Amino acid sequence: DIQMTQSPASLSASLGETVTIECRASEDIYNGLAWYQQKPGKSPQLLIYNANSLHTGVPSRFSGSGSGTQYSLKINSLQSEDVASYFCQQYYDYPFTFGSGTKLEIK
Amino acid sequence: EVQLVESGGGLVQPGRSLKLSCAASGFTFSNYYMAWVRQAPKKGLEWVATISTSGSRTYYPDSVKGRFTISRDNAKSSLYLQMNSLKSEDTATYYCARLGGPSLAYYFDYWGQGVMVTVSS
């Protein structure tokens, strides 16, 4: 199985700041990577797919990058509504696997 | 608007069975692979099952293989998860999710609101 190592586990930042969340795969996943946002008490929502493509309706302050085994999610101009947990997921190979999540809070 | 609405959760004793349902609307259900993903309380996400558009192919992780069965009824735009021999570690919120394309290797582009399953005596 492909292991997904996500960091940091938690993150605290001020409004307007830029934050970056990292995800490392245990082998090359050829950009088969998605990022999800899960707000408290809600279901996950797709943000980014194919490592760098923005899902419909997602604000442009979210962006994804990376290749091979290393990927990142960047959030520009942090807003209060961005308080959530964020998960990466590889869909290059079964079983699909997720990162352990990053909890983002506002300072 | 894509909508996925799960039902059928609840409290069940270890070793017993439970069947979850997911009603889909807002898209052509038969054109998409579908899946179940679960999340144990305060934990991360775990993929549970995927089914092909016709229902002829199904996929499971080792943790549920042989105990869980995913199925679908395209005429009713519905997805199901039959869970047998339930264990305490199956306690989780179960999400119905749509794969973002007509094949196996896609991300989950829409999720339901989730249904809670608690396995306890």
Side-chain angles (χ1 to χ4, degrees), chain A residues 11-71:
Chain A
L11 186 53
S12 183
S14 301
L15 294 175
E17 268 192 52
T18 295
V19 300
T20 300
I21 299 168
E22 307 280 348
C23 201
R24 186 181 77 249
S26 59
E27 60 185 83
D28 196 330
I29 57 172
Y30 300 94
N31 283 17
L33 183 103
W35 290 97
Y36 301 92
Q37 176 192 64
Q38 186 177 31
K39 294 184 178 181
K42 300 294 186 181
S43 58
Q45 302 292 308
L46 177 67
L47 294 174
I48 301 284
Y49 62 95
N50 293 349
N52 56 25
S53 297
L54 205 63
H55 183 51
T56 306
V58 174
S60 58
R61 64 177 182 277
F62 291 90
S63 63
S65 64
S67 63
T69 62
Q70 296 281 142
Y71 299 87

Side-chain angles (χ1 to χ4, degrees), chain B residues 53-64:
Chain B
T53 50
S54 66
S56 60
R57 286 167 289 170
T58 57
Y59 308 86
Y60 308 93
D62 289 344
S63 58
V64 307

Side-chain angles (χ1 to χ4, degrees), chain A residues 74-86:
Chain A
K74 187 164 76 170
I75 310 173
N76 289 317
S77 302
L78 195 63
Q79 306 290 307
S80 57
E81 60 262 34
D82 299 334
V83 169
S85 291
Y86 293 83

Side-chain angles (χ1 to χ4, degrees), chain A residues 4 36 88-89 96-100, chain B residues 37 45-47 108 111:
Chain A
M4 303 301 293
Y36 301 92
C88 62
Q89 179 232 338
F96 289 171
T97 45
F98 292 85
S100 54
Chain B
V37 179
L45 298 162
E46 181 187 16
W47 164 71
F108 305 116
W111 300 61

